[in-house]
Amino acid sequence: LKNTIVLITGDHGEAFFEKGLTGHNEGYSSEIVSVPLVLYVPGRGPESFTYLTSHLDVAPTILQMIGCRTSPGSYSQGHLLFDKNIERKYVVASSWSDMAIIDSKETIVMPLELYRIPRIIVYDKNYKEMESSHYSKERVGKINTTLKGLALFLK
């Protein structure tokens, strides 16, 4: 282990009716998107992080540890896991048919199929559908930024 990086995580959680959902591809509640991540790095002591991270952060972190000096922004939307100066405002998650923009206040779920585009649903922090999910300037900004970011890697 003195020269081996070990990563243990899961790709998603499971819902057992906590919020009326069951399974692993049914929504974006915390039970489904919050998964443990354990990373052993030789020579690095134990730490615990509570700030918002994403699976997208794994590749840039490990690539930097093995000597890659290319800026993560040129190949990933992820950040370095150990960089506490990065304040991520939200994360993006997706399934086969939709994607979500998740922050501490709400989850915006958008379909990936073009025929369902008008169906954007906003959930509160407890994953209850919000009555008034109007398109505020902040929401539209998050959606636009996310879509532009995704387009960077479509070539």
Side-chain angles (χ1 to χ4, degrees), residues 130-141:
M130 295 173 70
E131 294 276 333
S132 173
S133 58
H134 64 282
Y135 296 104
S136 67
K137 191 175 187 178
E138 181 183 2
R139 277 191 192 127
V140 171

Side-chain angles (χ1 to χ4, degrees), residues 7-136:
L7 172 71
I8 302 168
T9 190
D11 58 345
H12 53 73
E14 292 286 325
F16 294 100
F17 297 105
E18 294 89 353
K19 296 187 173 80
L21 305 171
T22 181
H24 63 269
N25 192 30
E26 188 68 35
Y28 298 92
S29 67
S30 59
E31 293 81 13
I32 296 170
V33 299
S34 297
V35 296
L37 185 141
V38 178
L39 181 62
Y40 170 79
V41 179
R44 194 173 179 108
E47 295 178 77
S48 180
F49 303 98
T50 57
Y51 50 82
L52 193 57
T53 62
S54 167
H55 279 87
L56 296 173
D57 301 336
V58 172
T61 301
I62 291 177
L63 285 169
Q64 184 191 52
M65 286 190 281
I66 62 172
C68 179
R69 296 293 166 237
T70 303
S71 169
S74 65
Y75 60 84
S76 173
Q77 290 181 319
H79 302 289
L80 301 173
L81 281 170
F82 302 121
D83 188 349
K84 297 177 185 176
N85 296 319
I86 303 258
E87 183 183 341
R88 176 179 268 129
K89 293 181 169 103
Y90 58 87
V91 294
V92 177
S94 67
S95 70
W96 298 294
S97 60
D98 52 30
M99 64 180 275
I101 301 170
I102 306 166
D103 67 21
S104 62
K105 299 181 294 188
E106 65 185 17
T107 299
I108 303 168
V109 178
M110 305 181 316
L112 294 174
E113 291 110 353
L114 290 176
Y115 68 91
R116 290 181 34 205
I117 286 295
R119 184 74 173 132
I120 295 176
I121 304 171
V122 182
Y123 297 89
D124 67 15
K125 66 180 180 176
N126 297 311
Y127 210 71
K128 297 275 187 209
E129 189 171 343
M130 295 173 70
E131 294 276 333
S132 173
S133 58
H134 64 282
Y135 296 104
S136 67

